[in-house]
Amino acid sequence: MNPYPSWLNAGDNSWQMTAATLVGLMSIPALAVLYGGLVQKKWAINTVMMVFTTFGLVLIVWVLWGFKLGFGTPLVSTFIGDPRTVLGHGALQGQANIPLLNGLMPNFRIPSGSVIYFQFVFAAITPILFIGSVIGRISFKV
């Protein structure tokens, strides 16, 4: 008796999660330390706070609206998806599916939660890289 769904591939899922975690580690601690070391001492904590806060804000926006806007069911035959939350066991534990790719690639063999997490870390690193252009010029309070 196999307690896992027939579509789930443990190797695919574990690699997806490993790759996403490595990008997440590159986002928060690595860029926070890198950017904190590039500025004067008085700006180091400011820079680290900007990186952590950006990561947290992107997480909230991604889970509530961002993922479905980018990868959800299209609104009125467009490339923009229906903005809904991905919270809930059905959305996270079911088989991953990107409606715009139906028929263009094989079905995913991983749960939706893995795809959401993988896409999130790349969505989060983008504004964090932008922070690198404003360190030492903008205060965290702003």
Side-chain angles (χ1 to χ4, degrees):
M1 181 167 159
N2 188 359
Y4 300 106
S6 60
W7 51 262
L8 182 63
N9 183 313
D12 288 354
N13 192 35
S14 62
W15 174 245
Q16 185 88 5
M17 298 300 282
T18 302
T21 302
L22 291 173
V23 172
L25 288 172
M26 183 177 61
S27 298
I28 290 203
L31 287 176
V33 169
L34 172 72
Y35 292 160
L38 290 175
V39 295
Q40 298 172 10
K41 277 202 243 181
K42 66 180 183 179
W43 288 94
I45 296 299
N46 177 62
T47 303
V48 171
M49 288 299 296
M50 288 192 331
V51 169
F52 281 114
T53 304
T54 303
F55 195 83
L57 289 174
V58 171
L59 172 64
I60 293 167
V61 171
W62 188 253
V63 168
L64 294 179
W65 305 287
F67 181 78
K68 288 292 185 176
L69 274 172
F71 302 103
T73 305
L75 278 174
V76 194
S77 302
T78 63
F79 61 90
I80 297 174
D82 188 9
R84 296 186 187 185
T85 180
V86 292
L87 299 175
H89 70 86
L92 294 174
Q93 294 176 358
Q95 185 175 8
N97 179 28
I98 297 176
L100 288 175
L101 296 179
N102 283 343
L104 298 176
M105 61 179 282
N107 291 333
F108 286 113
R109 298 183 298 176
I110 57 178
S112 294
S114 296
V115 174
I116 293 165
Y117 175 56
F118 183 79
Q119 298 294 343
F120 155 68
V121 292
F122 286 98
I125 200 171
T126 305
I128 292 173
L129 290 173
F130 167 74
I131 287 173
S133 68
V134 297
I135 57 172
R137 297 182 193 137
I138 293 181
S139 172
F140 176 71
K141 291 180 258 185
V142 172

